Amino acid sequence: MSPAKDLVEDPVAQRARRLAVVCLATAAIAACASPSDGGTTPDSRRADGLDTTEVGPAPLTIEGRITQSVVDAAGRGADVTIALLDRRDGHYESFADATPFPTASVAKLFIADDLFYRESTAELALTDGEHELVARMLEYSDDDAANQLWDDYGTSDIVVDVVSRYGLADTEPPYDDHWWNTVTTGHDLVDYYSAVLDGRGGLDPEHRDEMMTYLRTSNPTAADGYDQSFGIPAGLPDESDVAVKQGWMCCIDDRWTHVSTGVIGPDDRYVLVLVSREDLDYGDGDAEYPDTSLTAAVDDVSAAHARETITDVARTLFPQRRID
């Protein structure tokens, strides 16, 4: 999806973010694995001063694999957020999970949630056609469907309602009233999914199951033709039970943002949020600026590279192509 506007990162925070990634990479590379296997989009970018020497097999612990995925992404010009919750035992692992980012199409979860909650409380009655719009919005990331529901049912007040019901401390409505510029964090999205599944946000079982069904049948290709199989779907092909909502937009600070979120495993055991923010790079070639408010960027080579980066994060985290 989706149009990017002018969400600007504070310069001091930006410098701190880049320094943190480079410092982590420099410290960790001697102990971590070689880059992720197979099928990577050719790379022309390397973080300044980053040693990308291959030194050994993939680390066995999740902590080591998180470190390696951060190092690999930095070598491809990207910063990442990782947040993983095991709902069975409450174990939580993360990296940069408090770093804010624009939700892009992941905000469509909030639109669906708000409408379904209001229907369950008899505040409104959605038509069959509106339920179909919700389905297209979640399965195909259909922007036209999202725009219609957003405009008809409250625009930014939708996000305000979801934030209040779920207690999302770091999620904010869009500054410009466009749903794709809703801002959140990895930690908040994990909390959100977990609360949906537990019923803590007030969504009743009937509507929760309808929403999760649409996420389980997410189409590999979005309504606008964009490949939305990056991250969790492509990185965990051996998982049999996956429900995902993807998001993508360009360009904030000349960077692609890709967001892969979802619920994985029997009994919805795991909640996983992956985010990459990657520098634009066309090598020596010329390309038009991939402003996703104007184009779907279906054939954009920088977008393809960024999709592969976030997929490689999933592959490095789970080298057996499943979480268990």
Side-chain angles (χ1 to χ4, degrees), residues 8-20 253:
V8 178
E9 186 178 17
D10 177 76
V12 174
Q14 185 181 46
R15 288 194 297 272
R17 166 179 56 75
R18 292 183 180 277
L19 179 60
D253 296 329

Short mmCIF file of all heavy atoms in Angstrom, two decimals, residues 8-20 253:
data_model
loop_
_atom_site.label_atom_id
_atom_site.label_comp_id
_atom_site.label_asym_id
_atom_site.label_seq_id
_atom_site.Cartn_x
_atom_site.Cartn_y
_atom_site.Cartn_z
N VAL A 8 8.53 13.03 9.86
CA VAL A 8 9.96 13.30 9.87
C VAL A 8 10.54 12.91 11.21
O VAL A 8 10.05 13.30 12.25
CB VAL A 8 10.25 14.80 9.60
CG1 VAL A 8 11.74 15.07 9.67
CG2 VAL A 8 9.67 15.20 8.27
N GLU A 9 11.59 12.12 11.17
CA GLU A 9 12.27 11.70 12.39
C GLU A 9 13.13 12.84 12.90
O GLU A 9 13.79 13.53 12.14
CB GLU A 9 13.13 10.47 12.08
CG GLU A 9 13.77 9.88 13.31
CD GLU A 9 14.56 8.63 12.97
OE1 GLU A 9 14.86 8.44 11.80
OE2 GLU A 9 14.87 7.87 13.90
N ASP A 10 13.11 13.03 14.23
CA ASP A 10 13.95 14.04 14.85
C ASP A 10 15.41 13.78 14.51
O ASP A 10 15.90 12.65 14.61
CB ASP A 10 13.76 13.97 16.37
CG ASP A 10 14.65 14.95 17.09
OD1 ASP A 10 14.33 16.12 17.08
OD2 ASP A 10 15.68 14.51 17.64
N PRO A 11 16.17 14.80 14.08
CA PRO A 11 17.56 14.58 13.65
C PRO A 11 18.43 13.96 14.72
O PRO A 11 19.28 13.12 14.44
CB PRO A 11 18.03 15.99 13.28
CG PRO A 11 16.78 16.74 12.95
CD PRO A 11 15.73 16.18 13.84
N VAL A 12 18.26 14.38 15.99
CA VAL A 12 19.07 13.82 17.06
C VAL A 12 18.75 12.34 17.22
O VAL A 12 19.64 11.48 17.34
CB VAL A 12 18.82 14.58 18.37
CG1 VAL A 12 19.56 13.89 19.52
CG2 VAL A 12 19.28 16.02 18.23
N ALA A 13 17.43 12.01 17.19
CA ALA A 13 17.05 10.61 17.31
C ALA A 13 17.56 9.80 16.15
O ALA A 13 17.97 8.65 16.29
CB ALA A 13 15.53 10.49 17.40
N GLN A 14 17.56 10.41 14.95
CA GLN A 14 18.04 9.70 13.77
C GLN A 14 19.52 9.37 13.90
O GLN A 14 19.95 8.25 13.63
CB GLN A 14 17.79 10.54 12.53
CG GLN A 14 18.14 9.83 11.23
CD GLN A 14 17.89 10.69 10.03
OE1 GLN A 14 18.28 11.86 10.04
NE2 GLN A 14 17.26 10.14 9.02
N ARG A 15 20.33 10.35 14.34
CA ARG A 15 21.76 10.09 14.52
C ARG A 15 21.99 9.03 15.57
O ARG A 15 22.84 8.15 15.42
CB ARG A 15 22.48 11.40 14.89
CG ARG A 15 22.60 12.39 13.74
CD ARG A 15 23.59 13.48 14.06
NE ARG A 15 23.17 14.29 15.19
CZ ARG A 15 22.41 15.37 15.07
NH1 ARG A 15 21.96 15.74 13.90
NH2 ARG A 15 22.06 16.07 16.14
N ALA A 16 21.20 9.09 16.66
CA ALA A 16 21.36 8.12 17.73
C ALA A 16 21.00 6.72 17.25
O ALA A 16 21.65 5.73 17.58
CB ALA A 16 20.48 8.50 18.93
N ARG A 17 19.93 6.64 16.44
CA ARG A 17 19.52 5.35 15.92
C ARG A 17 20.60 4.74 15.06
O ARG A 17 20.96 3.58 15.21
CB ARG A 17 18.23 5.51 15.11
CG ARG A 17 17.90 4.31 14.27
CD ARG A 17 16.61 4.51 13.49
NE ARG A 17 16.62 5.69 12.66
CZ ARG A 17 17.28 5.78 11.51
NH1 ARG A 17 18.01 4.77 11.08
NH2 ARG A 17 17.23 6.88 10.77
N ARG A 18 21.14 5.52 14.12
CA ARG A 18 22.17 4.99 13.24
C ARG A 18 23.43 4.59 14.01
O ARG A 18 24.04 3.56 13.75
CB ARG A 18 22.51 6.02 12.15
CG ARG A 18 21.37 6.22 11.17
CD ARG A 18 21.79 7.20 10.09
NE ARG A 18 20.73 7.40 9.14
CZ ARG A 18 20.47 6.60 8.12
NH1 ARG A 18 21.20 5.51 7.93
NH2 ARG A 18 19.48 6.86 7.28
N LEU A 19 23.80 5.41 15.00
CA LEU A 19 24.97 5.09 15.80
C LEU A 19 24.76 3.80 16.58
O LEU A 19 25.65 2.95 16.66
CB LEU A 19 25.27 6.24 16.78
CG LEU A 19 26.47 6.03 17.71
CD1 LEU A 19 27.75 5.83 16.89
CD2 LEU A 19 26.61 7.21 18.66
N ALA A 20 23.55 3.61 17.12
CA ALA A 20 23.28 2.41 17.90
C ALA A 20 23.40 1.16 17.04
O ALA A 20 23.95 0.14 17.45
CB ALA A 20 21.88 2.48 18.52
N ASP A 253 12.29 10.26 4.85
CA ASP A 253 13.75 10.43 4.91
C ASP A 253 14.44 9.57 3.84
O ASP A 253 15.49 8.96 4.09
CB ASP A 253 14.30 10.08 6.29
CG ASP A 253 13.79 11.01 7.38
OD1 ASP A 253 13.53 12.18 7.06
OD2 ASP A 253 13.63 10.55 8.52
#
